[in-house]
């Protein structure tokens, strides 16, 4: 029964625009009505689901949302726990600074030559204008003049108890950082050191370019996405708030990182999906698909991180964190990072698959769930190919300096892959990719079952309107059985 109706619906959709012209007067109303109904399915708003289905979805998601809220309340850290400043790395106290004076000097004169050979080379070329050469591009000019071109920067502290204090710093030609006058700096502050050694330059102040880039991003999203773009920015802000005020402090407090990541990630998922896509059955199915995939990623991550004996302590940052907060489970932090890192791409995959199935059902209301699942999977396979490649390239780009180091070392592929630094990235990438791939058939099946169970009867009724009108034009013979009489248009009007 499904296949003849599905077959008739396609030709009707293609031919219906011509039915409004040159028809019998008696058939004009029936055909116009049938075309209008088909057009509404293809381009109009998505019909709402039944009250019964809304109750079923709510029975699943409301307890889950309540559990997420309860988890956040119970695990709420109340801010990051305090610790004694170590003065190492990111744990340094900082103050803003500014370059107030900049002069080019001879490295030999200020005693800042990198080695004795450089001193000899620099002395031979000083009289030929080394200062002018360095001013126009000291780091890139070859020869002895370039090796003797240093910068002497006078830096002023801009805030704090020592505001107005100035100190100088010599920048040698082989250093990558070069200063400009008026440039903002980030100064490391050591309050227990002697006054003349309390401050040193640790970084450049990049607040302005980063802020302008963020503003440009927000404008583009709002201008193109309009209301949905604005809601996406609101969801992004909420996601950062949950990450900053809940997930990170809770992990620092010593709570189970996996539990914190699941609760916080679920809260981010609920807020982001419902804010961006509205409270609807489509969004709820995407939430269910994302939730199941997150649990799969968490389970696989736990198994393979333990099996591969990954510690998670593979960088100076993780070592510093473990020193400051010994109660933190670094291995759990690695697993939490896998879950949170996969969340954003999962949302994209599940929402796209659910939307595809819903639109397929609108285009062919007579399609059963098997047909919808098959068509949705054909779309999903293309999505899988692009998303997996995107995820792998994103991780490879983040680990590019590490890959360069292994390339320089000329180690064997298996030796490199088995090292913890690379194995950590491999496990992170492959576990996330498995979850993404698994989310496609899972979410597609859920969407096909839900939309078919809810709108199957409506689809059969709507599928009769178009072919019923055409039966009077000689196409009734192509429909098996007596269910397509020429007067089907009158039956359709009684149903409406």
């Amino acid at each position: 029964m499904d296949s003849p109706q599905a077959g008739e619906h396609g030709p009707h959709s293609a031919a219906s625009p011509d039915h409004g012209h040159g028809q019998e007067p008696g058939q004009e109303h029936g055909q116009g009505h049938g075309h209008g109904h088909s057009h509404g399915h293809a381009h109009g708003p998505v019909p709402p689901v039944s009250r019964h289905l809304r109750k079923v979805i709510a029975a699943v998601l409301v307890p889950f949302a309540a559990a997420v809220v309860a988890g956040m309340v119970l695990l709420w850290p109340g801010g990051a726990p305090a610790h004694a400043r170590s003065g190492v790395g990111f744990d340094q106290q900082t103050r803003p600074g500014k370059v107030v004076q900049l002069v080019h000097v001879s490295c030999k004169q200020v005693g800042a030559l990198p080695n004795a050979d450089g001193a000899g080379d620099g002395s031979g070329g000083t009289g030929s204008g080394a200062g002018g050469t360095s001013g126009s591009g000291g780091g890139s000019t070859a020869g002895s003049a370039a090796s003797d071109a240093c910068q002497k920067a006078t830096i002023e502290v801009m805030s704090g108890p020592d505001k107005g204090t100035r100190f100088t710093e010599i920048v040698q030609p082989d250093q990558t950082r070069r200063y400009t006058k008026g440039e903002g700096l980030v100064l490391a502050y050591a309050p227990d050191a002697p006054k003349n050694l309390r401050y040193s330059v640790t970084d450049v102040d990049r607040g302005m370019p980063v802020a302008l880039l963020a503003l440009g991003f927000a404008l583009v999203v709002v201008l193109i996405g309009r209301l949905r773009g604005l809601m996406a920015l609101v969801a992004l802000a909420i996601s950062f708030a949950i990450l900053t005020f809940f997930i990170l402090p809770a992990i620092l407090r010593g709570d189970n990182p996996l539990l914190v990541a699941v609760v916080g990630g679920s809260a981010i998922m609920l807020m982001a999906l419902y804010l961006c896509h509205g409270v609807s059955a489509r969004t709820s199915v995407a939430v269910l698909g994302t939730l199941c995939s997150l649990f799969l990623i968490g389970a696989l991550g736990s198994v393979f991180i333990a099996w591969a004996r990954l510690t998670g302590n593979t960088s100076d940052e993780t070592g510093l964190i473990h020193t400051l907060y010994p109660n933190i489970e670094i291995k759990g932090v690695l697993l939490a990072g896998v879950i949170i890192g996969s969340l954003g791409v999962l949302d994209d995959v599940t929402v796209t698959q659910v939307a595809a199935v819903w639109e397929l059902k609108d285009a062919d209301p007579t399609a059963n769930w098997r047909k919808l699942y098959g068509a949705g999977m054909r779309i999903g396979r293309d999505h899988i190919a692009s998303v997996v490649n995107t995820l792998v390239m994103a991780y490879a780009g983040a680990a590019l300096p590490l890959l360069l180091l292994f390339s320089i070392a000329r180690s064997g592929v298996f030796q490199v892959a088995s090292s913890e630094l690379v194995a950590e990235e491999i496990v992170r990438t492959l576990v996330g990719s498995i979850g993404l791939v698994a989310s496609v058939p899972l979410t597609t099946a859920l969407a096909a079952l839900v939309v078919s169970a809810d709108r199957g009867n409506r689809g059969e009724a709507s599928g009769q309107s178009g072919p019923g009108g055409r039966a009077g034009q000689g196409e009734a013979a192509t429909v098996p059985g007596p269910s397509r009489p020429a007067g089907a248009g009158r039956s359709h009007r009684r149903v409406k």
Side-chain angles (χ1 to χ4, degrees):
M1 184 70 183
D2 286 331
S3 55
Q5 291 175 1
E8 288 177 7
H9 184 77
H12 171 66
S13 299
S16 54
D18 296 330
H19 288 168
H21 306 281
Q23 292 184 3
E24 295 290 337
Q27 296 176 350
E28 190 170 344
H29 173 74
Q31 290 292 342
H33 182 79
H35 171 63
H37 190 74
S38 174
H39 183 80
H41 272 297
H43 303 288
V46 178
V49 298
S50 64
R51 180 178 299 177
H52 173 71
L53 184 58
R54 290 200 298 269
K55 289 181 179 179
V56 172
I57 294 175
V60 176
L61 289 180
V62 169
F64 169 68
V68 170
V69 173
M72 291 189 69
V73 171
L74 292 175
L75 295 173
W76 191 261
H83 69 278
R85 291 277 188 175
S86 66
V88 178
F90 288 103
D91 197 42
Q92 293 176 323
Q93 298 186 49
T94 60
R95 296 284 188 272
K98 183 178 181 181
V99 179
V100 294
Q101 187 178 4
L102 186 67
V103 294
H104 297 279
V105 297
S106 167
C107 297
K108 181 181 178 181
Q109 292 176 357
V110 296
L113 284 175
N115 51 56
D117 292 338
D121 294 339
S123 62
T126 305
S128 61
T133 305
S134 66
S136 61
S140 61
T141 305
S144 59
S147 66
D148 192 45
C150 286
Q151 284 185 331
K152 182 180 179 181
T154 302
I155 300 166
E156 181 177 332
V157 181
M158 303 303 294
S159 70
D162 299 322
K163 181 180 179 180
T165 300
R166 295 187 177 189
F167 64 96
T168 60
E169 182 167 311
I170 304 299
V171 183
Q172 298 181 4
D174 57 347
Q175 292 181 239
T176 56
R177 180 180 297 154
R178 310 293 288 182
Y179 296 131
T180 57
K181 187 176 180 180
E183 182 178 20
L185 301 173
V186 178
L187 307 179
Y189 172 54
D192 297 330
K195 189 172 183 180
N196 60 332
L197 299 176
R198 286 181 184 175
Y199 295 94
S200 62
V201 179
T202 184
D203 207 347
V204 175
D205 183 8
R206 302 179 181 89
M208 182 60 69
V210 172
L212 289 177
L213 181 60
L215 179 60
F217 164 75
L219 289 176
V220 170
V221 170
V222 172
L223 287 176
I224 297 178
R226 298 184 181 179
L227 180 59
R228 289 210 174 189
L230 179 61
M231 297 310 296
L233 292 178
V234 173
L236 181 62
I238 294 175
S239 299
F240 270 108
I242 294 175
L243 184 66
T244 303
F245 297 107
F246 173 70
I247 295 178
L248 299 181
I251 291 176
L252 290 175
R253 195 178 66 175
D255 292 330
N256 188 310
L258 177 58
L259 179 61
V260 171
V262 169
V263 173
S266 298
I268 290 173
M269 173 190 65
L270 290 172
M271 297 298 298
L273 287 178
Y274 283 117
L275 275 176
C276 294
H277 305 284
V279 180
S280 65
R282 286 172 58 161
T283 308
S284 299
V285 172
V287 168
L288 289 174
T290 305
L291 176 64
C292 294
S293 301
L294 277 180
F295 279 113
L296 175 61
I297 291 173
L300 287 175
S302 298
V303 170
F304 283 95
I305 287 174
W307 193 5
R309 297 184 180 180
L310 299 177
T311 64
N313 192 4
T314 55
S315 66
D316 294 339
E317 290 77 14
T318 53
L320 177 59
I321 292 172
H322 190 58
T323 301
L324 297 176
Y325 298 95
N327 295 328
I328 290 180
E329 185 184 349
I330 298 296
K331 185 185 297 186
V333 173
L334 172 62
L335 180 57
V338 173
I339 294 174
I340 295 173
S342 303
L343 183 60
V345 188
L346 266 179
D347 291 351
D348 172 58
V349 172
T350 54
V351 168
T352 301
Q353 287 303 117
V354 172
V357 171
W358 240 262
E359 293 301 326
L360 288 168
K361 183 64 174 178
D362 288 336
D364 186 359
T366 61
N368 58 17
W369 78 269
R370 290 184 181 87
K371 184 175 181 180
L372 291 173
Y373 178 78
M377 281 303 299
R378 286 192 291 273
I379 297 172
R381 290 185 187 101
D382 289 336
H383 204 183
I384 286 172
S386 61
V387 166
V388 169
N389 187 64
T390 300
L391 189 65
V392 172
M393 290 300 102
Y395 281 127
L400 193 58
L402 176 64
L403 297 178
L404 288 173
L405 288 177
F406 280 106
S407 177
I408 293 170
R410 297 182 180 179
S411 301
V413 174
F414 292 104
Q415 180 182 351
V416 171
S418 62
S419 65
E420 184 169 3
L421 277 173
V422 177
E424 182 178 300
E425 297 301 326
I426 291 175
V427 171
R428 190 198 311 270
T429 302
L430 296 184
V431 166
S433 298
I434 290 173
L436 285 174
V437 172
S439 71
V440 172
L442 175 63
T443 308
T444 304
L446 283 174
L449 288 171
V450 168
V451 75
S452 298
D454 182 63
R455 292 161 61 192
N457 294 331
R458 301 185 209 180
E460 292 176 6
S462 63
Q464 292 176 1
S465 62
R470 290 204 317 270
Q473 298 177 6
E475 294 193 14
T478 63
V479 182
S483 60
R484 293 289 180 180
R490 293 191 298 273
S491 174
H492 176 70
R493 286 193 292 272
R494 286 199 297 272
V495 173
K496 295 299 288 185

